[in-house]
Amino acid sequence: MKRVRPIQIAWKPDKKSSTPVYRQIVQYICDKVANGEWTIGSRLPPQRALAESFGVNRSTISTAIDELTSYGIISGKSGAGTQIVSNTWSLMLPTKPSWKKLISSGYLQENNRRMQQINRLEFAPDIIRLGTGELDPRLFPQKMWTEVLQKMSVEITSLGYAEPLGILTLREAIVEHMKQFGINVSTKNVLVTSGALQALQLISSCMLEEGSTVFTEAPTYLKSLQMFQSAGLNLNGISMDQDGMEYWKIAKQLQKSESSILYTIPTNQNPTGITMSNARRQELMNFCIKNRLPIIEDGAYQELCFDGESALPLKAIDDNGMVMYLGSASKTLAPGLRIGWVIASEPVIQRLGDAKMQMDYGASSLSQLVFAEFLQSGKYKEYLIGLKKILKKRRDNALKTLEKYFQDIATWDVPIGGFYIWLTFNDDVEVDDLFERALDKGILLNTGDIYDFKHNRSLRLSFAYLTCEEFTAAMRTIRNGLY
Amino acid sequence: MKRVRPIQIAWKPDKKSSTPVYRQIVQYICDKVANGEWTIGSRLPPQRALAESFGVNRSTISTAIDELTSYGIISGKSGAGTQIVSNTWSLMLPTKPSWKKLISSGYLQENNRRMQQINRLEFAPDIIRLGTGELDPRLFPQKMWTEVLQKMSVEITSLGYAEPLGILTLREAIVEHMKQFGINVSTKNVLVTSGALQALQLISSCMLEEGSTVFTEAPTYLKSLQMFQSAGLNLNGISMDQDGMEYWKIAKQLQKSESSILYTIPTNQNPTGITMSNARRQELMNFCIKNRLPIIEDGAYQELCFDGESALPLKAIDDNGMVMYLGSASKTLAPGLRIGWVIASEPVIQRLGDAKMQMDYGASSLSQLVFAEFLQSGKYKEYLIGLKKILKKRRDNALKTLEKYFQDIATWDVPIGGFYIWLTFNDDVEVDDLFERALDKGILLNTGDIYDFKHNRSLRLSFAYLTCEEFTAAMRTIRNGLY
């Protein structure tokens, strides 16, 4: 058996340092392991002895030990004491947190914690998800799916590396598909991505300079925007009225010296459900042209307008190539396909495509071919017609439910499509408190704070995940629990 | 109609600057368009007049115009002259090339050009690909595929967002699958990625610090390693003998101050076909433990050993968590599935998984379920047995062909599996020249330079893409063209 040297400690943390004492201890132990002084298999002294050596109290040691354990550097097997089980890769963990640069403001970091809590709870069994960003899986077009996959099962005769911009058949189908929204482009203007999120990733990493500002609606879908933040961009939230983003408020904040872009979800906005009016769209375009402010238009909910005529995307009135449009099959058909697309000018698509090839050699060819078949066969169109009818019915029921139970204590707008109703309570309801009480009843709420740049009293409700009966029952429970 | 101000030029490039004159002109025009002085629709003076204004010759103007056109900033419609059609996104192109930091040495940049040429030519019709890194699509297991997709066509009843580490069923199947290679881990040690390339991307962006050194075999598969370079890492090529990487040569170059990792393809190495001997593997592990040098083991060709017993992966003899193993379905079954996996310690997998969720919310669920079914049903195993028989036959034929036509002018090793034979010519054959001559005959060669850190006289030949007859015929053509 290899002999392991006993661990000697002749060092004390600096209690006057701005680095917390437990962090200093973590770093000290990491360094000792990294430089090989403390070898694998070495046993740490008991916590009591450690506390004495370092001149700190037990709870500080305990915090440091927990952190080192979570890195996989030490392990406390019962009976055997705490041992260095360090592996080299784990040692890299504490030193490179930059990939996860969190939102700079402390307030938003808190939001992030609530968001992680919600993400975890979404996988809890029997939880009722009242605000989730996913379509009801029971609406999956099973029969069409079976037909499409049966076809693919014989039509696909090999699955090689795909073209950099995505399989041509799919790009052709997307070009056709986008025409109904007034977007007329060629296959060279289309890049297939692994979901719209990856499109943001590509744009962040190869189009935007660190330190640039992203103007966005407030509230908005911050989860996607973490991408921008990882790339070192600053977020700046702009308030909305019923016609959409109050773009004129950007003017004051535009600094000529730094580069900026605008990110918007103009149609059935997440989380508010607001659809930007046509007049506002034109004004916004003029403003952006004047100020040379490029636009990322997130069209995730564009195809889900069920009231009246659908609003034309900004891309449809974009004569100057200001707009990069993001489409997605995730909100309409199936997030698990991981299919999204970017529409932009040819050189931009070329560059994004090059970057995509460097990252993952393109999206799954199988997913691409399946979605292409959905589009080309007319199945997707037919499915969407049915889906929008159901969503409309669910929205109407949701509005009726709100009028019945919440009229006296909250306000909301009527969305023309999408998934969401943004409910804002009057002064006497604390949403954080409501979250906990709802959770006790097995109901998961998406509180408004996780979408906003400041505290609010709102909830993002989704009528897309639950049936009419389920939605009404859950909202009744919420109401009854309030007083 | 909007009035467009005529363009006035009262500026001249600085001919003494280290920036080429044409680049100065490109930047000048970009600036003018960006700051709004030259508006969209403005017409540029004719090239002759531009040359005069700038005090440069026509060819310089022509180069600048070409570059601006490729950015989509200007467009020369016939008859209408050259016009500013700038879009804001395109203007970002020239300023953010950092995503594509090329290999620092000029020599390797040249390689990159040849590689791009090869990538383009691979899509040319009727080209004979003698060195391509893809399995013959005619070996696709059509019958199994049909069965699997038929099953999925009824078994999949929705396709929601998948778990962060990948669908549990697939991770379970991978855990089972890896046991045959002596790798015993749990599902928490497995992360499903969109191909092995994405795994490198994740590791680069969230585990490695800028300025770190990546030691790698020379020659190696540089295309994948561009990833490391984009993340600001330095590559350092280490030569090989018949037993694999001559790791002892690293010692001299290890600087205690900077962090380093080792990237290796120990089994059926790409491009040389060399398999590291078991003795060398153990020595390398000891060396890395002693020097605390973490290892990325690329197992892309691990499953394709057809001679004797397969070599055990480094991960199988890794007691200290030194090794991160990368697996892939791309070389064995189908690159278009975009399925790879990482095996590492739990905290490392957790971090990579978090990063992956930020990047694209996980790999296609459909691809994951299809590959899980291949693994679980035993179809993958059965398919691999047949595939290896065919590859062995093709390798034997390739060796016979080489002996017949190339014995007097080249040398090569006998690979125990994988796709490749590394052919090295004697002094009197120039490989660049050979590339052109082969292309004239419709044969695409992968010259050794694109895999190496220095000039060589080698070819990467693949016996996996062509049938025995096709391979022999192509090699005979090459030989006949030589003299």
Side-chain angles (χ1 to χ4, degrees):
Chain A
M1 225 183 115
K2 225 173 12 182
R3 210 173 144 241
V4 173
R5 270 173 296 169
I7 281 179
Q8 305 284 346
I9 296 169
W11 170 89
K12 282 192 170 40
D14 176 5
K15 290 190 180 167
K16 288 178 196 144
S17 159
S18 63
T19 309
V21 168
Y22 89 93
R23 290 266 350 140
Q24 294 181 48
I25 295 174
V26 166
Q27 199 51 57
Y28 172 80
I29 297 182
C30 281
D31 289 348
K32 287 287 172 192
V33 176
N35 71 21
E37 282 183 59
W38 296 6
T39 50
I40 289 165
S42 314
R43 213 154 261 140
L44 283 184
Q47 295 202 11
R48 192 186 313 248
L50 279 175
E52 219 164 278
S53 303
F54 287 131
V56 299
N57 59 39
R58 282 283 296 275
S59 70
T60 306
I61 291 297
S62 170
T63 308
I65 295 285
D66 283 354
E67 184 142 339
L68 288 161
T69 308
S70 82
Y71 294 155
I73 290 167
I74 61 173
S75 147
K77 280 173 198 153
S78 64
T82 311
Q83 227 181 350
I84 308 275
V85 292
S86 157
N87 67 57
T88 324
W89 283 109
S90 296
L91 269 172
M92 292 185 165
L93 288 178
T95 59
K96 184 90 193 287
S98 60
W99 66 277
K100 212 192 175 179
K101 271 180 206 150
L102 285 173
I103 307 181
S104 45
S105 133
Y107 182 75
L108 292 174
Q109 284 202 20
E110 276 309 310
N111 292 358
N112 204 45
R113 248 169 258 174
R114 172 56 54 87
M115 206 176 323
Q116 281 169 357
Q117 186 186 12
I118 293 175
N119 288 346
R120 270 198 312 277
L121 285 165
E122 281 183 345
F123 286 97
D126 296 327
I127 199 102
I128 297 163
R129 293 156 66 173
L130 243 178
T132 199
E134 223 178 307
L135 193 62
D136 187 346
R138 295 164 292 188
L139 300 178
F140 188 71
Q142 183 70 53
K143 189 168 158 284
M144 289 180 182
W145 175 261
T146 303
E147 287 166 10
V148 169
L149 252 71
Q150 300 264 352
K151 196 159 178 232
M152 291 302 113
S153 77
V154 292
E155 275 192 0
I156 293 175
T157 56
S158 80
L159 271 183
Y161 290 105
E163 299 121 280
L165 301 186
I167 294 176
L168 186 61
T169 326
L170 176 55
R171 284 184 291 133
E172 283 168 352
I174 288 171
V175 164
E176 272 309 304
H177 176 66
M178 293 315 293
K179 283 183 183 162
Q180 66 184 294
F181 303 107
I183 297 176
N184 295 294
V185 291
S186 89
T187 52
K188 289 180 178 171
N189 300 112
V190 178
L191 172 71
V192 177
T193 60
S194 305
L197 183 65
Q198 196 193 37
L200 289 180
Q201 158 77 14
L202 293 168
I203 295 167
S204 304
S205 67
C206 77
M207 302 291 297
L208 303 176
E209 281 190 87
E210 227 176 295
S212 303
T213 298
V214 181
F215 292 102
T216 173
E217 284 121 1
T220 186
Y221 187 47
L222 288 173
K223 198 170 167 187
S224 290
L225 301 184
Q226 289 184 340
M227 193 66 66
F228 289 137
Q229 292 168 328
S230 305
L233 307 173
N234 308 307
L235 291 186
N236 195 327
I238 303 297
S239 58
M240 285 181 279
D241 61 20
Q242 290 190 334
D243 288 327
M245 188 191 266
E246 297 171 319
Y247 65 86
W248 53 89
K249 293 183 175 168
I250 297 175
K252 288 178 241 169
Q253 302 177 61
L254 269 180
Q255 289 168 353
K256 295 256 163 176
S257 54
E258 66 174 46
S259 65
S260 310
I261 61 152
L262 186 133
Y263 171 83
T264 176
I265 313 172
T267 306
N268 303 311
Q269 204 250 1
N270 180 6
T272 62
I274 292 172
T275 291
M276 198 183 286
S277 66
N278 286 331
R280 181 69 54 87
R281 282 171 200 244
Q282 193 56 64
E283 288 165 30
L284 176 67
M285 282 299 294
N286 293 345
F287 176 84
C288 288
I289 291 168
K290 191 173 148 228
N291 291 284
R292 288 168 294 282
L293 186 64
I295 300 172
I296 299 174
E297 176 178 28
D298 186 338
Y301 302 90
Q302 175 67 44
E303 312 192 4
L304 294 173
C305 294
F306 40 72
D307 262 0
E309 282 185 39
S310 32
L312 276 192
L314 294 165
K315 186 70 195 164
I317 54 167
D318 172 35
D319 297 325
N320 300 313
M322 300 293 294
V323 181
M324 207 183 275
Y325 179 91
L326 313 185
S328 171
S330 295
K331 299 303 174 184
T332 50
L333 181 57
L337 278 180
R338 309 304 312 119
I339 293 293
W341 57 93
V342 185
I343 297 177
S345 70
E346 211 180 309
V348 169
I349 289 294
Q350 277 298 336
R351 171 162 295 188
L352 294 176
D354 283 353
K356 177 149 179 59
M357 285 310 267
Q358 283 211 9
M359 280 186 191
D360 65 2
Y361 284 134
S364 158
S365 300
L366 177 54
S367 285
Q368 291 190 59
L369 291 168
V370 163
F371 189 56
E373 174 63 20
F374 260 96
L375 284 173
Q376 287 184 318
S377 62
K379 284 189 169 66
Y380 184 66
K381 198 173 178 184
E382 185 192 331
Y383 157 73
L384 274 188
I385 292 172
L387 177 66
K388 286 193 280 186
K389 275 190 196 146
I390 295 168
L391 287 179
K392 186 180 165 73
K393 212 179 114 203
R394 290 187 175 185
R395 183 219 41 195
D396 291 343
N397 171 74
L399 292 171
K400 228 186 298 169
T401 304
L402 293 182
E403 274 155 35
K404 187 162 171 192
Y405 296 111
F406 290 83
Q407 200 162 28
D408 54 331
I409 54 165
T411 55
W412 58 89
D413 291 323
V414 176
I416 63 156
F419 287 6
Y420 309 115
I421 297 175
W422 184 249
L423 185 85
T424 302
F425 287 105
N426 304 338
D427 282 356
D428 46 356
V429 176
E430 252 315 324
V431 170
D432 267 345
D433 187 43
L434 190 63
F435 177 86
E436 299 299 340
R437 276 194 274 167
L439 202 53
D440 286 342
K441 307 266 180 197
I443 298 171
L444 182 61
L445 294 177
N446 287 42
T447 52
D449 274 5
I450 61 178
Y451 305 103
D452 212 345
F453 290 78
K454 58 181 181 8
H455 179 63
N456 63 42
R457 296 175 180 276
S458 302
L459 293 179
R460 182 182 85 172
L461 299 174
S462 168
F463 49 83
Y465 195 74
L466 302 176
T467 64
C468 292
E469 295 67 34
E470 289 164 346
F471 183 90
T472 303
M475 287 309 285
R476 195 166 42 221
T477 306
I478 299 288
R479 183 61 175 98
N480 291 340
L482 271 176
Y483 297 106
Chain B
M1 228 184 115
K2 228 174 11 184
R3 211 173 143 241
V4 173
R5 269 173 296 170
I7 282 178
Q8 305 283 346
I9 297 170
W11 168 89
K12 281 193 171 40
D14 174 6
K15 289 189 182 169
K16 287 176 196 146
S17 160
S18 64
T19 309
V21 167
Y22 87 94
R23 291 266 347 139
Q24 295 181 48
I25 294 173
V26 166
Q27 199 52 56
Y28 172 79
I29 296 182
C30 283
D31 290 347
K32 287 288 173 192
V33 176
N35 70 22
E37 280 183 61
W38 295 6
T39 51
I40 290 165
S42 313
R43 213 154 262 139
L44 283 182
Q47 295 202 12
R48 189 188 314 245
L50 279 175
E52 217 164 280
S53 303
F54 288 130
V56 300
N57 58 38
R58 280 284 295 275
S59 71
T60 306
I61 291 297
S62 170
T63 309
I65 294 285
D66 283 354
E67 185 143 339
L68 289 161
T69 307
S70 82
Y71 294 155
I73 290 166
I74 61 173
S75 150
K77 281 173 196 151
S78 65
T82 312
Q83 225 179 352
I84 310 273
V85 291
S86 154
N87 68 58
T88 324
W89 284 109
S90 296
L91 269 170
M92 291 184 164
L93 289 177
T95 60
K96 184 89 192 290
S98 60
W99 66 275
K100 211 190 175 180
K101 271 179 206 151
L102 284 173
I103 307 179
S104 44
S105 130
Y107 182 72
L108 293 173
Q109 285 200 18
E110 274 311 309
N111 292 359
N112 203 47
R113 248 167 259 175
R114 173 54 55 86
M115 205 179 318
Q116 283 169 357
Q117 185 186 14
I118 293 175
N119 289 346
R120 268 198 313 277
L121 284 165
E122 280 183 345
F123 286 96
D126 296 325
I127 199 101
I128 297 164
R129 292 154 68 173
L130 242 178
T132 200
E134 223 178 309
L135 192 63
D136 187 346
R138 294 163 294 188
L139 300 178
F140 187 71
Q142 183 71 52
K143 189 168 155 286
M144 291 179 182
W145 175 262
T146 302
E147 286 165 11
V148 169
L149 252 70
Q150 301 263 350
K151 197 161 176 230
M152 292 300 114
S153 78
V154 291
E155 274 192 0
I156 292 175
T157 57
S158 80
L159 270 183
Y161 290 105
E163 298 120 281
L165 301 185
I167 292 175
L168 185 61
T169 327
L170 175 55
R171 284 184 290 132
E172 283 167 353
I174 288 171
V175 164
E176 271 311 304
H177 177 66
M178 293 315 293
K179 283 181 183 163
Q180 67 184 296
F181 303 106
I183 296 177
N184 295 295
V185 290
S186 90
T187 52
K188 289 180 178 172
N189 301 112
V190 179
L191 172 71
V192 177
T193 60
S194 306
L197 183 65
Q198 197 194 36
L200 289 180
Q201 158 77 11
L202 292 169
I203 296 166
S204 304
S205 66
C206 77
M207 301 292 296
L208 304 176
E209 284 189 87
E210 225 175 296
S212 304
T213 299
V214 181
F215 292 102
T216 175
E217 284 121 1
T220 186
Y221 187 46
L222 287 174
K223 197 170 167 187
S224 290
L225 300 184
Q226 288 184 340
M227 194 65 67
F228 289 138
Q229 294 168 326
S230 303
L233 306 172
N234 309 308
L235 292 186
N236 194 328
I238 304 297
S239 59
M240 286 181 280
D241 62 19
Q242 288 190 333
D243 287 327
M245 188 192 266
E246 296 171 320
Y247 65 86
W248 54 88
K249 293 185 175 168
I250 296 175
K252 289 179 241 166
Q253 300 178 64
L254 269 180
Q255 289 169 352
K256 295 255 165 181
S257 54
E258 67 173 47
S259 65
S260 308
I261 61 156
L262 186 133
Y263 170 84
T264 174
I265 312 171
T267 307
N268 302 312
Q269 204 249 1
N270 180 8
T272 64
I274 292 174
T275 292
M276 198 184 285
S277 68
N278 286 330
R280 180 69 54 87
R281 281 172 202 245
Q282 193 57 63
E283 289 165 31
L284 177 66
M285 281 299 293
N286 294 344
F287 176 84
C288 287
I289 290 168
K290 192 174 148 228
N291 291 285
R292 290 170 292 284
L293 187 63
I295 300 172
I296 297 173
E297 176 178 26
D298 187 338
Y301 302 90
Q302 176 65 44
E303 314 192 5
L304 294 174
C305 293
F306 41 71
D307 261 359
E309 284 186 40
S310 34
L312 276 191
L314 294 166
K315 185 72 196 161
I317 54 168
D318 171 35
D319 296 325
N320 299 313
M322 300 292 294
V323 181
M324 208 184 275
Y325 180 89
L326 312 186
S328 172
S330 296
K331 299 303 175 184
T332 51
L333 181 58
L337 278 181
R338 307 309 308 119
I339 293 293
W341 57 93
V342 185
I343 296 178
S345 70
E346 210 179 310
V348 169
I349 290 293
Q350 277 299 336
R351 171 161 296 187
L352 295 177
D354 283 352
K356 176 148 178 59
M357 285 309 267
Q358 283 212 11
M359 279 186 191
D360 65 1
Y361 284 134
S364 158
S365 301
L366 177 54
S367 284
Q368 291 190 58
L369 291 168
V370 163
F371 189 55
E373 174 63 21
F374 260 97
L375 285 171
Q376 287 183 319
S377 62
K379 284 188 168 68
Y380 184 66
K381 197 173 178 181
E382 185 192 331
Y383 157 72
L384 274 187
I385 292 172
L387 178 65
K388 286 193 281 187
K389 274 189 197 147
I390 294 167
L391 288 179
K392 187 180 165 73
K393 212 179 115 204
R394 289 188 177 184
R395 181 214 47 188
D396 291 343
N397 172 74
L399 291 172
K400 225 184 302 170
T401 305
L402 293 181
E403 275 156 34
K404 185 160 172 195
Y405 297 111
F406 291 84
Q407 202 161 27
D408 53 332
I409 54 164
T411 56
W412 57 90
D413 292 323
V414 176
I416 63 157
F419 287 5
Y420 310 115
I421 297 175
W422 184 249
L423 185 86
T424 301
F425 287 103
N426 305 338
D427 282 355
D428 47 354
V429 176
E430 253 316 324
V431 171
D432 267 345
D433 187 42
L434 189 62
F435 177 86
E436 300 297 341
R437 273 195 276 167
L439 203 54
D440 285 343
K441 305 266 180 197
I443 298 171
L444 181 61
L445 294 177
N446 287 41
T447 52
D449 275 5
I450 61 178
Y451 306 102
D452 213 344
F453 292 75
K454 56 180 182 11
H455 178 64
N456 64 42
R457 295 176 182 276
S458 302
L459 293 179
R460 181 182 85 171
L461 298 173
S462 168
F463 47 85
Y465 195 75
L466 301 176
T467 64
C468 293
E469 295 68 32
E470 290 164 345
F471 183 90
T472 303
M475 288 308 285
R476 192 166 44 221
T477 306
I478 298 288
R479 183 62 173 101
N480 291 339
L482 271 175
Y483 299 107

